[in-house]
Amino acid sequence: MHTLVMKGKDALKKGAELINVGEVVAFPTETVYGLGADAFNDAAVKKIFEAKGRPSDNPLIVHIADDSRLHELVTDVSEEAKIVMKTFMPGPITVIMKKSDIVPLCVTAGLDTVGIRMPSNETARAFIKECGTPVAAPSANRSTHISPTSAADVFEDMNGRIPLIIDGGDSQVGIESTILDMSTDVPTILRPGAITAEMLARVLGAVKTFSGKVVVAKAPGMKYKHYAPACETVVAKDAESAIAAYDTAEGEGHTPVIIATSGTCGLLENRTHIDLGSSDEEICRNIYAALHRAEKIADFIICEHLGDSGICGSVMNRVMKSAGGKVV
Ligand code: TXA
Ligand code: MG
């Protein structure tokens, strides 16, 4: 299959045409690029799983352009869910609610709940609107690889597997949406993101963070390997450990690279590094592009520990998975 990469209004029109004949199309969002299909078309949804190599027991989230389609998709919206949606949607959050009968089970992987997301990215919303149907979409990477934050990253994983990538430039947030389960008594964060626990607690009072052993996975995706670069990746607890790990790896004949904040990069002398910037937002925006670049220029990736709370805590949730939990 030939994979087109298109920009602008023509891209949206072509994308919507493809969606309406049951094809899959990659499109930009503010978090990461998504791989979309008509959420009501079983055969089209199956193509997403095929293109990604994704296990069929891992549900997809459903993207809407505005709340006009919301009530078709979910059975009841609690007062708390209304507050969350009013405060943070459109934006980088997915809210899990009880699904209605018209949401196909292949989208939710057999669950009685569905994740709803309204992106803030204008291209994403214009595309979904043009499609005229809710769009089921996971991140547009091959299963287990790093999520794409540019059309070029999508092309690398999906060339020859999908007909079209809509190029909307770089994703501005940079990591996947916060997933908030509102189908249970206490709202629970299943995946941290740019909308942090602190921000949610401000409007909700109580929020739980899902932690602990994933025996029966709450977000089924959590039990799978994730965000894995092509080469070995470790987290360094500070600049000193990063330098030590770099020098050891180089001594062993590896080609290492350090991914770090601007402050740390200033200490690395002539060691190969990728600068994430300084602010939380910059670090979040740049992390996946940095991992993508790192796996191309090196065979051993060392990422500095970026912090435990706020947005950087969410970034570290992904980096730890990339590193398989390995800290040096
Ligand atoms: O920012 C994002 O959320 C991006 C963009 C494209 O919107 N999408 C994304 O989708 O990251 P994906 O499929 O890569 O991750 C969605 C996660 C998976 O771990 C999945 O298991 C979980 O959400 N999920 C989806 N529906 C769920 C449900 N009903 N209950 C629990 N977890 C669910
Ligand atoms: Mg994903």
Side-chain angles (χ1 to χ4, degrees):
M1 183 185 294
H2 182 65
T3 302
L4 279 172
V5 182
M6 290 173 70
K7 277 185 192 168
K9 281 220 166 69
D10 289 350
L12 299 186
K13 200 162 162 272
K14 175 86 182 160
E17 277 168 20
L18 285 165
I19 293 288
N20 289 318
V21 297
E23 274 305 330
V24 298
V25 171
F27 64 100
T29 85
E30 72 279 18
T31 56
V32 300
Y33 274 66
L35 189 61
D38 177 351
F40 297 141
N41 181 336
D42 279 48
V45 168
K46 287 205 179 81
K47 289 184 186 169
I48 294 180
F49 288 92
E50 278 161 27
K52 274 185 72 87
R54 179 174 175 120
S56 59
D57 66 346
N58 192 0
L60 308 178
I61 60 191
V62 175
H63 296 67
I64 51 178
D66 52 55
D67 47 25
S68 64
R69 304 301 292 260
L70 178 68
H71 296 276
E72 288 172 50
L73 301 169
V74 297
T75 51
D76 84 305
V77 181
S78 67
E79 286 309 309
E80 282 180 316
K82 278 185 197 149
I83 294 171
V84 168
M85 289 193 276
K86 200 168 157 243
T87 315
F88 299 109
M89 276 188 189
I93 189 164
T94 298
V95 179
I96 309 276
M97 291 176 276
K98 289 270 182 257
K99 84 173 195 69
S100 71
D101 290 341
I102 64 165
V103 179
L105 289 167
C106 64
V107 169
T108 65
L111 298 176
D112 63 354
T113 54
V114 61
I116 302 287
R117 171 153 141 70
M118 193 194 297
S120 59
N121 181 286
E122 293 296 336
T123 308
R125 287 224 308 287
F127 169 60
I128 299 162
K129 211 173 235 166
E130 187 85 24
C131 291
T133 181
V135 174
S139 50
N141 52 288
R142 296 285 293 275
S143 199
T144 79
H145 197 217
I146 309 158
S147 298
T149 54
S150 69
D153 289 349
V154 179
F155 191 79
E156 207 175 282
D157 272 21
M158 291 295 160
N159 183 23
R161 308 179 73 87
I162 60 172
L164 176 68
I165 300 167
I166 299 173
D167 183 353
D170 292 345
S171 296
Q172 289 304 297
V173 172
I175 62 169
E176 304 82 354
S177 62
T178 303
I179 299 183
L180 184 67
D181 188 353
M182 303 215 62
S183 70
T184 52
D185 286 347
V186 184
T188 307
I189 295 174
L190 302 183
R191 177 174 73 184
I195 307 292
T196 61
E198 294 85 343
M199 290 158 78
L200 289 165
R202 239 173 270 147
V203 298
L204 283 177
V207 227
K208 268 200 306 200
T209 303
F210 184 84
S211 56
K213 274 224 186 105
V214 183
V215 182
V216 178
K218 256 312 249 178
M222 289 192 305
K223 70 176 185 279
Y224 294 109
K225 191 175 171 205
H226 260 108
Y227 318 114
C231 60
E232 189 178 357
T233 304
V234 298
V235 171
K237 58 180 183 304
D238 51 29
E240 211 169 83
S241 322
I243 289 170
Y246 184 102
D247 293 349
T248 305
E250 199 175 43
E252 289 169 353
H254 287 291
T255 309
V257 61
I258 298 177
I259 298 175
T261 57
S262 301
T264 300
C265 286
L267 309 170
L268 298 177
E269 297 173 339
N270 57 1
R271 295 175 183 86
T272 308
H273 60 265
I274 300 172
D275 189 342
L276 292 171
S278 307
S279 72
D280 288 3
E281 287 74 18
E282 273 178 296
I283 291 166
C284 189
R285 187 182 311 133
N286 293 330
I287 190 67
Y288 283 154
L291 287 167
H292 271 113
R293 197 170 122 66
E295 67 177 10
K296 288 190 193 75
I297 62 170
D299 62 15
F300 187 75
I301 302 172
I302 303 154
C303 184
E304 175 186 29
H305 199 292
L306 301 160
D308 291 314
S309 61
I311 296 179
C312 283
S314 304
V315 173
M316 280 315 290
N317 165 271
R318 310 302 197 275
V319 174
M320 278 297 184
K321 287 183 180 164
S322 296
K326 200 161 166 203
V327 182
V328 295

